[in-house]
Amino acid sequence: MKKTIAMAALAMAVSFGAVSCKKKVTDADLQTQATTIVTANPGASVEVKDGVAHLSGTFATQADKDAMITKLKAVSGVKEVMDMATVAPETPAAAPVTTTSAVDPAVQKKVQDAVKDFPTVKVEVVNGELTLTGNVSKEQARKIKESVDALKVGKVNYNYTVK
């Protein structure tokens, strides 16, 4: 009986010793692994504190940011990823190309004369098409459309804002 108790005590001591000898992952180790992952995006950085990765910086797309978070969560020892990163705003579309060769200047002049009573309306040639821009009221929009349609100048884009 004494031998059995002694063996059980020895087995427990060995098992506690094995558990306590298990190598604990340090923040420095996690920082190295996380930094290696984040270097794929030069606009981002990561800091690991108490097993929590703090991701910051700017990503080109939300998908890039989500993929980075997933990779960081996959690192063994990282408890959580705090997302403090942003997604870069989309670049605005290029402004329309303005050309005057596709519309007869006489037609453009007629339309400008038709809308001369509406100083907020601009007559332009955008992408080869006659275009009206500006801010107008609902009633002004109706009057402008009637005046321009009466000229029978063909296709006209009414890109003004009706307020």
Side-chain angles (χ1 to χ4, degrees):
M1 180 79 176
K2 283 185 179 183
K3 279 187 176 183
T4 308
I5 293 175
M7 290 299 276
L10 182 63
M12 289 192 55
V14 169
S15 64
F16 283 129
V19 171
S20 65
C21 291
K22 184 179 175 186
K23 184 180 178 197
K24 187 173 182 180
V25 181
T26 65
D27 281 345
D29 294 335
L30 293 175
Q31 179 70 46
T32 302
Q33 292 177 40
T35 301
T36 302
I37 292 169
V38 173
T39 56
N41 185 342
S45 63
V46 65
E47 182 181 337
V48 178
K49 194 170 194 173
D50 298 327
V52 178
H54 299 266
L55 179 65
S56 60
T58 304
F59 289 84
T61 66
Q62 183 66 41
D64 291 344
K65 184 172 117 173
D66 292 343
M68 186 66 64
I69 291 169
T70 301
K71 288 177 186 177
L72 289 171
K73 285 181 178 178
V75 173
S76 179
V78 171
K79 300 174 193 171
E80 184 180 2
V81 176
M82 298 300 292
D83 178 12
M84 298 180 295
T86 59
V87 176
E90 290 185 30
T91 55
V97 177
T98 303
T99 177
T100 56
S101 60
V103 176
D104 184 357
V107 170
Q108 189 174 352
K109 178 71 173 134
K110 283 182 185 178
V111 174
Q112 284 174 335
D113 289 340
V115 298
K116 68 181 178 203
D117 295 328
F118 308 98
T120 60
V121 177
K122 219 169 130 185
V123 179
E124 307 171 290
V125 177
V126 178
N127 294 331
E129 296 179 348
L130 199 58
T131 304
L132 301 178
T133 58
N135 295 318
V136 296
S137 69
K138 203 173 194 180
E139 174 136 348
Q140 289 173 327
R142 185 182 54 77
K143 287 179 182 177
I144 292 168
K145 180 142 177 52
E146 288 174 357
S147 298
V148 173
D149 286 349
L151 297 173
K152 297 186 193 288
V153 294
K155 183 165 172 49
V156 176
N157 291 323
Y158 298 92
N159 287 349
Y160 44 66
T161 303
V162 179
K163 293 186 175 188

